[in-house]
Amino acid sequence: VIALPTQEVDMIIAPIGVTMAREQVLDFTFAFFYDDSAVILKKPDPDESKWRTYIDIFRIEASTCALTLKSFVRESKAVCLSLLLLSTPGGQNLPYSGSGRIFISAWWLFCLVVAGTFGGNLIAVLTVSKDKPPFNTLAEMASQSDYTFGTLGNSMWTTLFETSPRPEFQAISRKMEGFYAADPTVYSYDPNVHLKRVKQGGYAYIADNGMFTNWLAYNCDLMILKEKFFPAKYAIGLPNNSAYTKLFSEQVVKVYESGLLQVWVKKWWPSRSFCAGSLVTEARTLNLKDVQSAFYLLGVGVIFAGTLLISEVTVPVMRSLIPASLLDIKVVPETIRKAISREDLSKKKNDSRLKSWM
């Protein structure tokens, strides 16, 4: 772009985007290509997050809301009681007031809906393969800290993020400046440098969607975010007030009207390869990694149960080892003296009953 105003070159025939800043120093022909901007990154390894399978079924706000509501209501003995609450006048586990029965029945219906939703989503997550990106929008990308991201240096995307009033664009610009201070390759002029970093993982690249479609034809481990932004148009660049701008524009229009552009696209544009599992959604066989969350939950329960068992066995033994003469010493805690006193009293009662029986 800089070489054209200085007359180092006569024209630019390349995928150069048309922007307001460039139109002040260049002339552009009729646009020959339109494309959206997008973000490409490597597919995350699904095995890295499978330990959170049971946690990630609901978003954090939904799980927090359900747990908060649960803390206000005591559990009943059976879920089927919810169907009888409106007709039963009360009982051991049922409130006697009509308002209480309505509230508890509504609570149990809520529990049934949540449990059914959780179970259905859990089945889908465990049995159906689906590529889930670490973030879905530019705003989420700007707020996360696991991935770095970059774009072509001194391009229309750097100008967009620097000058746009949108908060997420401003946040992306600030973060890329911080990334650039530590690693200048985030503003590399070579797309292959960005592609190499994307393949290594932990990096997202911002550019035009058409180039990414070309990359996906040869790389099944890459993915594009669904959110598209900044529709751009590409044209031939000429010096300002060039006499050839109209001539080249007329030829571009003829190419469009004749359908040659679509013919060239079909002939030369690489077709996207069909990766394994990309044609249809299929159920798959579960392995231990898929259900490892259940084993983690079991392990936590075993640890807590074992700790409680040790305390239940150890505390009575420790109490029995304390001499009775120490009960009157003030250094012995009051709770231990009371516990030992109760045990001695129960022993005396049992001895008296045994003697009376004999």
Side-chain angles (χ1 to χ4, degrees):
V1 176
I2 299 176
L4 193 56
T6 58
Q7 297 182 354
E8 296 180 19
V9 296
D10 296 325
M11 67 174 61
I12 301 176
I13 303 178
I16 176 174
V18 180
T19 62
M20 294 181 61
R22 290 174 177 174
E23 284 182 321
Q24 295 178 1
V25 295
L26 302 178
D27 274 356
F28 288 98
T29 63
F30 184 84
F32 61 81
F33 187 68
Y34 296 84
D35 199 8
D36 293 324
S37 301
V39 181
I40 193 171
L41 66 160
K42 185 178 181 180
K43 295 178 182 178
D45 185 2
D47 292 339
E48 293 181 355
S49 59
K50 283 185 177 179
W51 67 273
R52 302 196 314 265
T53 300
Y54 292 87
I55 303 175
D56 292 341
I57 298 299
F58 290 149
R59 289 182 176 269
I60 185 64
E61 55 268 21
S63 301
T64 303
C65 180
L67 292 175
T68 303
L69 289 175
K70 187 179 184 301
S71 63
F72 290 102
V73 181
R74 297 184 62 183
E75 295 183 0
S76 299
K77 288 185 177 180
V79 178
C80 62
L81 290 177
S82 60
L83 303 177
L84 304 175
L85 286 174
L86 293 175
S87 58
T88 306
Q92 182 180 359
N93 300 305
L94 306 178
Y96 284 90
S97 64
S99 59
R101 295 198 305 275
I102 293 176
F103 174 74
I104 297 299
S105 64
W107 164 252
W108 272 116
L109 290 176
F110 166 80
C111 291
L112 288 174
V113 172
V114 172
T117 305
F118 183 88
N121 280 273
L122 181 61
I123 294 172
V125 168
L126 292 176
T127 58
V128 179
S129 300
K130 185 177 180 181
D131 297 324
K132 183 179 179 181
F135 42 82
N136 297 292
T137 63
L138 293 177
E140 293 179 2
M141 184 180 72
S143 61
Q144 56 82 41
S145 58
D146 296 330
Y147 279 70
T148 58
F149 43 86
T151 186
L152 290 176
N154 296 325
S155 62
M156 60 181 179
W157 293 287
T158 56
T159 304
L160 169 68
F161 295 131
E162 291 172 358
T163 60
S164 174
R166 293 177 57 175
E168 64 270 27
F169 285 5
Q170 295 176 1
I172 289 175
S173 178
R174 290 192 299 269
K175 278 208 164 186
M176 285 197 298
E177 289 295 333
F179 298 150
Y180 177 76
D183 184 5
T185 59
V186 297
Y187 281 156
S188 175
Y189 297 102
D190 186 359
N192 292 320
V193 174
H194 296 281
L195 175 60
K196 183 179 179 181
R197 292 199 58 182
V198 169
K199 289 182 177 180
Q200 292 174 351
Y203 182 79
Y205 178 44
I206 305 170
D208 56 280
N209 186 65
M211 180 174 61
F212 294 160
T213 305
N214 185 9
W215 288 358
L216 290 179
Y218 307 101
N219 299 276
C220 290
D221 58 341
L222 303 183
M223 65 187 308
I224 303 175
L225 293 189
K226 291 184 178 180
E227 182 183 18
K228 305 297 187 295
F229 63 99
F230 189 51
K233 57 182 180 180
Y234 299 86
I236 299 174
L238 296 165
N240 230 354
N241 302 317
S242 174
Y244 297 100
T245 303
K246 182 179 179 181
L247 176 62
F248 279 97
S249 293
E250 291 175 352
Q251 297 302 317
V252 171
V253 171
K254 288 182 179 180
V255 170
Y256 252 108
E257 292 177 348
S258 63
L260 277 176
L261 186 62
Q262 288 72 22
V263 173
W264 293 339
V265 168
K266 291 182 179 179
K267 183 176 181 179
W268 301 108
W269 200 273
S271 301
R272 182 173 180 178
S273 60
F274 291 101
C275 303
S278 63
L279 291 177
V280 293
T281 301
E282 297 179 344
R284 58 187 178 84
T285 304
L286 299 181
N287 52 40
L288 287 178
K289 288 185 178 180
D290 296 323
V291 294
Q292 59 181 295
S293 296
F295 290 96
Y296 293 150
L297 182 61
L298 176 62
V300 171
V302 170
I303 292 174
F304 275 104
T307 304
L308 183 59
L309 177 62
I310 292 174
S311 63
E312 291 174 346
V313 173
T314 305
V315 171
V317 174
M318 293 179 63
R319 287 177 178 176
S320 63
L321 296 177
I322 299 177
S325 59
L326 294 179
L327 292 176
D328 297 330
I329 300 177
K330 294 183 178 180
V331 296
V332 180
E334 183 67 21
T335 55
I336 296 180
R337 290 207 307 263
K338 289 182 178 180
I340 296 178
S341 299
R342 287 195 297 269
E343 290 182 1
D344 292 342
L345 182 60
S346 61
K347 288 181 179 179
K348 291 180 180 179
K349 289 182 178 180
N350 291 334
D351 292 342
S352 61
R353 291 176 182 174
L354 182 60
K355 290 180 180 179
S356 62
W357 180 77
M358 294 177 64

